[in-house]
Amino acid sequence: MTESPSRRALLGWGGAGLALGAVAAGSAVAVSDSGGDDHEPSTAVEFHGTHQAGIATPVQDRLHFAAFDVTTTERAEFVRLLKDWTEAARRMAAGRPVGEGAFGGLAEAPPDDTGEALGLKPSRLTLTIGFGPSLFAKFGLAGQRPEALIDLPQFPGEALDLARSNGDLCVQACADDPQVAVHAIRNLARIGFGKVVVRWSQLGFGKTSSTTPDAQTPRNLMGFKDGTRNIAGTETDRLEKFVWASEQDGPAWMAGGSYLVARRIRMHIETWDRTSLQEQEDVFGRDKGEGAPVGKANEHDEPFLKAMKPDAHVRLAHPDSNGGSTILRRGYSFTDGTDGLGRLDAGLFFLAYQRDVRDGFVRIQRHLATDALNEYIQHVGSAVFAVPPGVRDADDWWGRALFEGK
Amino acid sequence: MTESPSRRALLGWGGAGLALGAVAAGSAVAVSDSGGDDHEPSTAVEFHGTHQAGIATPVQDRLHFAAFDVTTTERAEFVRLLKDWTEAARRMAAGRPVGEGAFGGLAEAPPDDTGEALGLKPSRLTLTIGFGPSLFAKFGLAGQRPEALIDLPQFPGEALDLARSNGDLCVQACADDPQVAVHAIRNLARIGFGKVVVRWSQLGFGKTSSTTPDAQTPRNLMGFKDGTRNIAGTETDRLEKFVWASEQDGPAWMAGGSYLVARRIRMHIETWDRTSLQEQEDVFGRDKGEGAPVGKANEHDEPFLKAMKPDAHVRLAHPDSNGGSTILRRGYSFTDGTDGLGRLDAGLFFLAYQRDVRDGFVRIQRHLATDALNEYIQHVGSAVFAVPPGVRDADDWWGRALFEGK
């Protein structure tokens, strides 16, 4: 593994006078060589591939997620933006600044890159784009909307804030350094000025679902391990079966893509914190310390669902209770200050990838209508996106198959 | 240096059956031995000392800051809370859960600790308490209010949101892992239920001011290095002169303490990002890439103030322009979603410690009235706190000198 150079070394800003071109070109190769499976938090994840990075990629520590609305009505302008975004994403994922980096001679222009990630490592940054249902009402795309990209039905108990829901587009930025993730979204928003506008965004920390089987399962803000039986990024069979859309699923432009459901789930943590340990463990169907299913000793022991209360979360969410349905979860905890009533505005920003939203999130969430956990949580934001396949090479760009059919 | 054990190893939750007492007692010693100057992000910082940790301590990566209002009117109940908080803070700083940790036999009670930091390292957690001006109107404390704890004057251009300003108390939680910082504030809020209520809170990331002279200076969200000439935690002379309140300063209970000014500074980053590099560098008085003062080659070169524009930020904020005044800055970047107008709600959560607010922040901020930077920022939240001296030993507690005069 070659450790990539720092972002700072690649930049000739402010007359520092580096021979930039040669350095940057060589580094990009080194970065590409390091691959995406390495857990070293400073490395780069390969941007190109059959699938977009940021789905099966081992979960990074931090998230900045943004939903955008498209404001331009010009198809060509929007396509130009997708190409510009792709190029910027390609550079940032490699730990390089946006633009050519030689700013010394262009003092009269705004910098191509906002600069706050200079000197920081690539930090396993991944940028993953998705297209929302409303996008397909624009640019003559109606006929291309996948059947699987449904408008989500209403679920009991939810109280969705439209200001934190939906969007024509989304970009999920994940990195081990929050400043790298924030920098990436901010630069995409900057590049999109006049063409798209940020509709809502969400910062997340402390990944709650591990896609790395050997790593310790992280805990959510209820203090329970979350993601014990999640689909691992290395489980090719389950990924093919449950996560990646195939050519047969249609439309053709989505082959190798996936569908993302994002839900902002507020936790009533002050109520939860005054609930007995027994009740907490009954609600989940696992013990709090080890994470073992009811009646079992270890976290990874096979759950015996009938030993759990009928409304236990693990019992209701288990694939055996949902005709085998399962989803790849990639959620993050959030804490967004207080709610004006002295309570922390905290919870889980739930991100789930699946081959078909109807067989995945919708089916499971319907079954969770009687979940004992519902007393302690509320879904307050919601969005769904078609996540196109990966950018194959340096000539490819986000959404090319959708717009050009190839 | 002894690496402290993980939080998980110290807990007997859910019947895991560890011989807890012995393990925990031994570990606490090991943790205390590791000291507070070690930059290894997983270690513990010593909680006890002449000064509170979290001021001269090398800046950690993440912040969770909370301001509380006191709701109890019983002095004894409030003192009980300060003692309970101190004990919880002492344990959490050492990487241990709140309470005795033996929850196996108490399933009918809420857990003593909310659990989301189990298995995480101490992560250099520091917890620093401060007392706001409004606290001194309560509990018969009026005569104890320090003269240096003034109500801040109004500054030109500020637009303070009262819902994000002031507070009877504050706790600054800093750690290298955000989940550890969030966990700490959340557990203090839980312990304070019925006695205090969270008034506002702020998450921060990507420290903007280094208190470690050898570390690379971090960049703020404007892309500039921030904190080049900050007071380092190792500069005993400057700390004594500018940061720590002495016995002569009065009152006696504040000797070894400091005064904290917290300002939420929104950056108009979309405007900034469309500003030329030349203008950006003129505004700061440093170049963006290296951080060198105008006309100099290197970041740490002595600035020649007269070479800068008269309204350059570095020129106006420099001690030479403020009769020698200087402050210890410990700010963090924040990004709190969007503002409803498609702009990121992002900026700097500015934290400054000083021996006297009048000679420190107030003097400098008044001089910044003509700062060129003001076009791109706005102060939208404000608070000031008297930060008492450190908790000396296992029998001492936060605020004892204030309440008991010893």
Side-chain angles (χ1 to χ4, degrees):
Chain A
M1 189 205 79
T2 310
E3 182 165 297
S4 59
S6 80
R7 287 162 193 270
R8 172 189 279 177
L10 298 168
L11 200 81
W13 249 4
L18 294 177
L20 194 79
V23 176
S27 320
V29 173
V31 169
S32 298
D33 284 351
S34 71
D37 283 340
D38 199 296
H39 295 193
E40 178 59 43
S42 64
T43 55
V45 174
E46 175 59 55
F47 179 73
H48 301 108
T50 309
H51 312 293
Q52 287 194 73
I55 304 171
T57 307
V59 179
Q60 301 94 328
D61 290 341
R62 315 288 172 239
L63 169 79
H64 193 193
F65 189 96
F68 296 86
D69 281 337
V70 178
T71 52
T72 180
T73 54
E74 301 290 330
R75 180 177 167 126
E77 194 172 47
F78 183 62
V79 165
R80 179 75 253 160
L81 173 64
L82 290 173
K83 291 177 179 173
D84 290 346
W85 269 11
T86 306
E87 178 56 19
R90 184 183 279 125
R91 290 184 66 92
M92 292 191 287
R96 297 162 69 188
V98 176
E100 287 310 309
F103 298 115
L106 292 168
E108 71 280 5
D112 286 341
D113 186 286
T114 55
E116 72 272 24
L118 292 176
L120 303 180
K121 302 277 186 184
S123 307
R124 297 200 298 131
L125 174 68
T126 56
L127 291 162
T128 313
I129 198 169
F131 302 137
S134 51
L135 183 71
F136 294 89
K138 303 181 175 180
F139 306 124
L141 295 172
Q144 303 277 24
R145 178 171 168 174
E147 273 185 41
L149 184 69
I150 58 166
D151 294 303
L152 291 182
Q154 228 181 343
F155 294 100
E158 69 185 12
L160 304 182
D161 177 359
L162 277 179
R164 288 185 186 270
S165 297
N166 308 325
D168 290 338
L169 295 169
C170 74
V171 178
Q172 170 198 282
C174 297
D176 290 320
D177 185 325
Q179 188 136 330
V180 170
V182 166
H183 168 267
I185 293 292
R186 184 246 193 111
N187 277 274
L188 295 182
R190 187 179 56 79
I191 294 167
F193 179 71
K195 298 161 198 149
V196 295
V197 63
V198 175
R199 181 180 171 91
W200 54 272
S201 72
Q202 179 68 55
L203 240 67
F205 65 87
K207 59 190 180 220
T208 63
S209 298
S210 174
T211 53
T212 316
D214 54 328
Q216 180 178 308
T217 309
R219 291 178 186 272
N220 61 28
L221 289 184
M222 290 178 150
F224 277 76
K225 293 183 182 174
D226 195 334
T228 300
R229 299 175 64 83
N230 201 15
I231 300 173
T234 50
E235 293 181 89
T236 316
D237 289 356
R238 288 176 85 201
L239 288 169
E240 293 296 338
K241 190 168 175 190
F242 295 114
V243 178
W244 305 129
S246 77
E247 278 196 56
Q248 288 71 46
D249 298 334
W253 69 270
M254 271 295 290
S258 188
Y259 295 90
L260 167 62
V261 173
R263 305 279 285 189
R264 189 171 190 269
I265 305 177
R266 173 87 186 267
M267 292 175 178
H268 306 310
I269 61 171
E270 290 81 5
T271 309
W272 181 255
D273 287 350
R274 293 197 290 277
T275 301
S276 75
L277 178 61
Q278 185 65 57
E279 163 75 2
Q280 291 187 6
E281 296 186 337
D282 286 349
V283 163
F284 271 96
R286 292 183 178 273
D287 85 276
K288 196 164 185 176
E290 161 65 22
V294 170
K296 300 295 179 86
N298 300 306
E299 178 192 347
H300 291 283
D301 288 349
E302 192 66 35
F304 179 57
L305 300 183
K306 290 185 177 162
M308 300 174 187
K309 300 226 167 184
D311 59 357
H313 178 71
V314 165
R315 180 169 179 171
L316 291 172
H318 194 279
D320 289 354
S321 304
N322 293 280
S325 287
T326 190
I327 50 186
L328 186 154
R329 282 162 293 146
R330 222 173 185 286
Y332 287 81
S333 295
F334 69 84
T335 304
D336 291 339
T338 44
D339 67 356
L341 300 168
R343 299 175 305 203
L344 288 175
D345 181 5
L348 167 66
F349 188 67
F350 174 92
L351 294 169
Y353 288 89
Q354 56 239 284
R355 185 170 170 182
D356 190 311
V357 173
R358 297 163 294 186
D359 298 337
F361 175 75
V362 171
R363 184 168 190 169
I364 296 168
Q365 188 59 24
R366 284 211 163 111
H367 198 230
L368 291 179
T370 58
D371 188 353
L373 195 55
N374 292 341
E375 191 176 335
Y376 303 99
I377 63 174
Q378 187 167 44
H379 289 229
V380 295
S382 178
V384 60
F385 301 97
V387 175
V391 172
R392 282 165 294 176
D393 53 40
D395 296 324
D396 198 6
W397 44 275
W398 274 339
R400 183 171 73 164
L402 170 62
F403 280 89
E404 297 191 351
K406 58 181 178 182
Chain B
M1 188 208 79
T2 312
E3 182 166 298
S4 59
S6 81
R7 288 162 193 268
R8 171 190 277 176
L10 297 169
L11 200 83
W13 249 5
L18 294 178
L20 195 78
V23 175
S27 320
V29 174
V31 169
S32 297
D33 284 351
S34 69
D37 282 341
D38 200 299
H39 294 195
E40 178 58 44
S42 64
T43 56
V45 174
E46 174 60 53
F47 179 72
H48 301 108
T50 309
H51 312 294
Q52 287 194 73
I55 304 171
T57 308
V59 180
Q60 301 91 329
D61 290 340
R62 315 288 172 239
L63 169 80
H64 193 192
F65 188 97
F68 296 87
D69 281 337
V70 178
T71 53
T72 181
T73 54
E74 302 289 331
R75 180 175 167 127
E77 194 173 48
F78 183 60
V79 165
R80 178 75 254 160
L81 173 64
L82 290 173
K83 291 177 179 174
D84 290 346
W85 269 11
T86 306
E87 178 56 21
R90 185 183 278 126
R91 290 185 65 93
M92 292 191 288
R96 298 162 69 188
V98 175
E100 287 311 308
F103 297 115
L106 292 168
E108 71 281 5
D112 287 341
D113 186 286
T114 55
E116 72 271 23
L118 293 175
L120 303 180
K121 302 276 187 186
S123 307
R124 297 200 299 131
L125 174 68
T126 56
L127 291 162
T128 313
I129 198 169
F131 302 137
S134 51
L135 183 70
F136 293 89
K138 303 182 177 180
F139 307 124
L141 295 172
Q144 303 277 24
R145 179 170 168 175
E147 273 184 42
L149 185 68
I150 58 167
D151 294 304
L152 292 180
Q154 229 181 343
F155 295 100
E158 68 185 13
L160 304 183
D161 176 359
L162 276 181
R164 289 185 187 269
S165 296
N166 308 325
D168 291 337
L169 295 169
C170 75
V171 179
Q172 169 198 283
C174 297
D176 290 321
D177 185 323
Q179 187 134 329
V180 170
V182 166
H183 168 267
I185 293 293
R186 184 246 192 113
N187 276 273
L188 296 182
R190 185 179 58 80
I191 293 167
F193 178 72
K195 298 160 199 149
V196 295
V197 63
V198 176
R199 182 180 170 91
W200 54 272
S201 72
Q202 180 68 57
L203 240 67
F205 65 87
K207 58 190 181 224
T208 61
S209 298
S210 175
T211 54
T212 315
D214 54 327
Q216 179 177 307
T217 308
R219 290 177 186 272
N220 62 27
L221 289 183
M222 290 179 149
F224 277 76
K225 293 183 184 176
D226 194 335
T228 300
R229 299 175 65 83
N230 201 15
I231 300 174
T234 50
E235 291 180 274
T236 315
D237 290 355
R238 287 176 87 201
L239 288 169
E240 293 296 338
K241 188 167 177 191
F242 296 114
V243 178
W244 305 129
S246 77
E247 278 195 55
Q248 289 71 47
D249 297 335
W253 69 268
M254 271 295 290
S258 188
Y259 295 90
L260 168 62
V261 172
R263 304 281 284 188
R264 188 171 192 270
I265 305 177
R266 173 87 187 266
M267 293 174 176
H268 305 310
I269 61 172
E270 290 80 4
T271 309
W272 181 253
D273 288 350
R274 294 197 289 277
T275 301
S276 75
L277 177 62
Q278 186 65 56
E279 163 75 1
Q280 292 186 6
E281 297 186 337
D282 286 348
V283 164
F284 271 96
R286 290 183 179 274
D287 85 276
K288 195 164 186 176
E290 162 64 22
V294 171
K296 301 296 176 87
N298 299 306
E299 178 191 349
H300 291 281
D301 288 349
E302 192 66 35
F304 179 57
L305 300 182
K306 290 185 177 163
M308 301 175 186
K309 301 226 167 183
D311 58 357
H313 177 71
V314 166
R315 179 168 179 171
L316 291 172
H318 194 277
D320 289 354
S321 305
N322 293 280
S325 286
T326 189
I327 50 185
L328 187 154
R329 284 161 292 145
R330 222 176 186 283
Y332 287 83
S333 295
F334 69 83
T335 305
D336 292 338
T338 43
D339 67 356
L341 299 168
R343 300 177 303 204
L344 288 176
D345 180 5
L348 167 65
F349 188 67
F350 173 91
L351 293 169
Y353 287 91
Q354 56 240 285
R355 186 171 170 182
D356 190 310
V357 173
R358 296 163 294 187
D359 297 337
F361 175 76
V362 171
R363 184 169 191 167
I364 297 167
Q365 188 60 25
R366 282 211 166 111
H367 198 231
L368 292 178
T370 57
D371 188 352
L373 196 54
N374 292 340
E375 190 177 336
Y376 304 99
I377 63 173
Q378 187 166 44
H379 289 230
V380 295
S382 177
V384 60
F385 302 96
V387 175
V391 172
R392 281 165 295 176
D393 53 40
D395 295 323
D396 197 8
W397 43 276
W398 274 338
R400 184 170 72 163
L402 171 60
F403 279 90
E404 300 191 350
K406 58 183 179 184

